């Protein structure tokens, strides 16, 4: 198949952009890239899909999100963190069933695909949500997923006993760590290797030193990567200080740092943390909307980049972002650092597109397969329709992608050489069915949690 007449942003080693370009797909791989006229002449027998007026980019890679939480979109807006977590989110999640987890996964994946995300990292999937359902949703939809199953053995947050988890979410070593190993044996490499299983460790304070050390030893032995929230809020920094550590010295002490680890948020770091992080090769997932909405602070992305720390991008969950649209996240990532630094050159559009593509692929250990459009790599790409009045005119395609378009402009999505979205519509999933089930199950979770009277508009509705 030839996808022709598009502007192609390759994000390859030279960062070339091909005007009136074409991509040839054979099986699940990119077989050729070049000018449309050249490829059409070279492969006259190939079927052609005309993408005039579109910009093609590598499939977007979200390095942090919570699939279960999409079912809880809009249930905990404008709350401070303790209330948000302990009185709303943990209570709601503690009332999930496995069927709810599957419905939430399908809702998340459908939204991600329609807005251009072709690979995502699930950060911390609880046992009660039903990991088999999550993996099945990835398999059925055609998306690529790195699936972190929760590892924990302490049912509180940071050092405050008042920040207690809902009983329905509490897991021990057997359920979490051993359960992850069982899911890794069952699902890792499934669906033509679109599924990878990760350790999804809870934030320090939620895992004992002994369990961290056991997990990190298993990670090295079995080559199972790790993702973990870290230094997200000031309370995290207080926890590390209470055990005579900084965030990175603690992580180093239990074996968490290294090229197979993605640490999420990383807002409250000092200079020594950044130096340690850079030396270890550990990756960072930046989630600017979540950090801003929960008033957690702003990650020191320019400083991390100057230290050569690899930074990817994530949307985080439905209750702290309200969308899985990574294109919208790209715009905030490009703007917020300019605002606080008073430097309009901080984190330019090109850096943000790298964060959402090749940097994300590198964080997930998939840079040899995805993240850029190159011959021999997986055919994972997105065509964005920029013909509409709200996208015109444009002169720099990277600027148009980062600052102007949103997920609603995505026209075509291809993963593993298979078209999953065409004309903005899902091809592998029944969107109406997903939406109706999500609406019903979201109401049921809220009712079971006893929060119906609280999850509603603050203004009267007649």
């Amino acid at each position: 198949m030839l996808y022709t007449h598009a502007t192609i942003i390759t994000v390859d080693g030279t960062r070339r952009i091909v005007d009136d370009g074409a991509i040839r797909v054979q099986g699940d791989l990119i077989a050729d890239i070049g000018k449309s006229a050249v490829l059409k002449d070279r492969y006259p027998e190939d079927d052609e899909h005309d993408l005039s007026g579109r910009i093609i980019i590598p499939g977007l890679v979200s390095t942090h999100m919570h699939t279960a939480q999409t079912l809880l979109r809009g249930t905990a807006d404008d709350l401070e963190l303790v209330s948000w977590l302990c009185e709303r989110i943990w209570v709601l999640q503690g009332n999930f069933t496995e069927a709810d987890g599957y419905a939430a996964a399908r809702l998340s994946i459908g939204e991600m695909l329609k807005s251009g995300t072709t690979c995502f990292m699930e950060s911390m999937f609880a046992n009660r949500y039903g990991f088999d359902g999550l993996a099945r949703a990835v398999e059925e939809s055609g998306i690529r997923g790195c699936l972190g199953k929760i590892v924990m053995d302490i049912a509180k947050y940071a050092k405050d006993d008042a920040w207690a988890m809902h009983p329905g979410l509490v897991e021990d070593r057997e359920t979490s760590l051993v359960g992850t190993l069982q899911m890794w044996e069952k699902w890792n490499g499934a669906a033509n290797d679109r599924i990878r299983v990760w350790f999804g460790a809870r934030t320090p304070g939620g895992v004992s030193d002994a369990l961290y050390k056991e997990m990190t030893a298993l990670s090295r032995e079995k080559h199972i990567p790790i993702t973990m929230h870290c230094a997200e809020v000031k309370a995290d920094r207080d926890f590390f200080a209470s055990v005579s550590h900084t965030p990175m010295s603690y992580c180093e002490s239990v074996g968490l740092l290294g090229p197979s680890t993605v640490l999420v948020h990383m807002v409250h770091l000092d200079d020594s943390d950044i130096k340690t992080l850079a030396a270890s090769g550990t990756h960072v997932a930046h989630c600017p909307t979540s950090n801003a909405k929960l008033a957690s602070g702003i990650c020191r992305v320019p400083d991390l980049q100057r230290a050569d720390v690899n930074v990817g991008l994530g949307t985080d969950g439905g209750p702290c972002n309200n969308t899985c649209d990574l294109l919208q996240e790209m715009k905030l990532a490009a703007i917020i650092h300019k605002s606080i630094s008073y430097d309009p050159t901080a984190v330019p559009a090109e850096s943000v597109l790298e964060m959402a593509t090749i940097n994300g692929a590198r964080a997930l250990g998939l840079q040899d397969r995805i993240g850029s459009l190159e011959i021999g790599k997986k055919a994972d790409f997105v065509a964005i329709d920029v013909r509409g009045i709200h996208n015109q005119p444009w002169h720099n395609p990277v600027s148009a992608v980062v600052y102007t378009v949103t997920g609603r402009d995505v026209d075509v999505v291809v993963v593993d050489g298979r078209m999953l979205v065409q004309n903005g519509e899902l091809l592998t999933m029944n969107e109406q069915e997903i939406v109706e089930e999500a609406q019903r199950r979201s109401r049921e979770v809220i009712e079971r949690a006893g929060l119906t009277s609280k999850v509603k508009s603050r203004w009267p509705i007649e």
Side-chain angles (χ1 to χ4, degrees):
M1 170 70 79
L2 286 177
Y3 294 87
T4 60
H5 300 301
T7 299
I8 302 174
I9 305 174
T10 65
V11 198
D12 67 6
T14 65
R15 300 300 191 260
R16 68 174 176 144
I17 296 172
V18 184
D19 186 40
D20 192 11
I23 298 176
R24 188 186 191 218
V25 174
Q26 275 192 309
D28 59 0
L29 301 176
I30 295 172
D32 208 349
I33 301 176
K35 290 286 190 178
S36 292
V38 173
L39 265 63
K40 287 168 70 172
D41 184 61
R42 188 177 293 164
Y43 310 107
E45 303 301 319
D46 280 18
D47 293 333
E48 180 182 351
H49 190 98
D50 191 325
L51 291 175
S52 298
R54 281 77 155 184
I55 297 173
I56 292 179
I57 61 173
L60 298 176
V61 180
S62 180
T63 53
H64 182 68
M65 69 94 59
H66 297 268
T67 52
Q69 289 186 1
T70 308
L71 204 65
L72 308 178
R73 195 193 322 261
T75 60
D77 293 329
D78 306 325
L79 297 175
E80 53 83 28
L81 185 64
V82 179
S83 300
W84 182 88
L85 188 63
C86 299
E87 298 174 12
R88 290 286 177 90
I89 301 309
W90 276 349
V91 178
L92 290 164
Q93 292 180 155
N95 280 277
F96 263 54
T97 65
E98 290 190 359
D100 296 329
Y102 177 62
R106 295 178 74 215
L107 180 68
S108 300
I109 290 168
E111 182 184 356
M112 284 190 286
L113 284 174
K114 288 194 67 174
S115 55
T117 293
T118 59
C119 180
F120 72 98
M121 164 74 82
E122 159 62 49
S123 178
M124 208 163 53
F125 205 76
N127 189 68
R128 72 172 301 118
Y129 309 154
F131 192 90
D132 284 331
L134 170 62
R136 194 168 72 252
V138 171
E139 185 175 43
E140 294 165 348
S141 67
I143 202 168
R144 203 176 295 280
C146 295
L147 311 180
K149 187 179 181 301
I150 196 167
V151 175
M152 65 165 291
D153 60 351
I154 300 174
K156 64 179 183 179
Y157 190 100
K159 67 183 183 71
D160 193 336
D161 290 336
W163 291 30
M165 293 187 79
H166 185 277
L169 290 176
V170 176
E171 298 185 29
D172 58 16
R173 173 189 175 278
E174 293 298 313
T175 305
S176 64
L177 180 71
V178 176
T180 302
L181 291 174
Q182 291 169 346
M183 291 300 99
W184 179 76
E185 293 283 356
K186 182 175 183 178
W187 286 105
N188 193 63
N192 195 33
D193 204 23
R194 286 187 288 105
I195 296 175
R196 300 286 181 92
V197 178
W198 286 49
F199 289 123
R202 276 203 68 215
T203 312
V207 184
S208 65
D209 287 7
L211 190 58
Y212 271 136
K213 289 176 180 177
E214 183 179 5
M215 180 190 70
T216 55
L218 286 166
S219 171
R220 292 188 294 271
E221 175 191 338
K222 296 181 178 291
H223 306 290
I224 304 174
I226 299 167
T227 187
M228 185 186 77
H229 298 66
C230 189
E232 180 179 3
V233 294
K234 290 181 179 178
D236 293 327
R237 187 88 201 186
D238 294 341
F239 167 79
F240 292 120
S242 75
V243 292
S244 302
H245 275 290
T246 70
M248 292 304 93
S249 70
Y250 177 84
C251 289
E252 189 173 42
S253 74
V254 294
L256 281 163
L257 300 184
S260 295
T261 296
V262 176
L263 297 179
V264 184
H265 299 304
M266 301 290 275
V267 172
H268 297 276
L269 304 179
D270 61 26
D271 291 345
S272 71
D273 288 318
I274 293 177
K275 184 177 180 180
T276 300
L277 187 64
S280 71
T282 306
H283 312 276
V284 169
H286 179 36
C287 305
T289 299
S290 170
N291 296 155
K293 188 169 184 239
L294 292 177
S296 302
I298 299 174
C299 178
R300 294 172 60 183
V301 168
D303 293 334
L304 291 170
Q305 291 179 333
R306 280 190 287 270
D308 291 328
V309 174
N310 182 51
V311 181
L313 199 62
T315 60
D316 210 342
C320 59
N321 186 321
N322 301 63
T323 179
C324 299
D325 183 350
L326 201 64
L327 285 164
Q328 291 190 49
E329 199 72 23
M330 289 165 65
K331 182 173 183 176
L332 184 59
I335 289 174
I336 197 167
H337 302 287
K338 304 180 195 311
S339 175
I340 63 168
S341 67
Y342 301 98
D343 178 4
T345 69
V347 192
E350 290 78 8
S351 292
V352 174
L353 184 57
E354 289 170 339
M355 289 164 63
T357 56
I358 192 62
N359 289 9
R362 185 174 295 113
L364 303 186
L366 299 173
Q367 69 273 22
D368 293 335
R369 293 168 169 254
I370 63 172
S372 61
L373 302 178
E374 302 180 61
I375 295 171
K377 279 196 169 186
K378 291 286 190 174
D380 288 18
F381 59 87
V382 175
I384 302 168
D385 193 336
V386 288
R387 295 175 295 179
I389 192 171
H390 58 292
N391 290 323
Q392 289 291 334
W394 60 268
H395 306 282
N396 174 348
V398 176
S399 170
V401 169
V402 173
Y403 290 120
T404 308
V405 306
T406 72
R408 293 177 178 84
D409 296 309
V410 169
D411 178 48
V412 168
V413 176
V414 175
V415 179
D416 242 14
R418 181 186 181 195
M419 194 183 298
L420 306 183
V421 174
Q422 184 176 15
N423 299 323
E425 300 297 326
L426 292 168
L427 300 182
T428 57
M429 311 174 77
N430 184 323
E431 182 173 349
Q432 188 59 38
E433 176 187 297
I434 290 170
V435 168
E436 290 175 359
E437 184 175 16
Q439 290 173 335
R440 174 175 62 84
R441 290 194 174 278
S442 182
R443 288 193 298 267
E444 291 173 353
V445 169
I446 293 167
E447 290 169 2
R448 285 198 298 274
L451 293 176
T452 303
S453 64
K454 294 186 177 180
V455 180
K456 63 179 184 179
S457 170
R458 292 189 178 93
W459 291 355
I461 300 176
E462 295 182 355

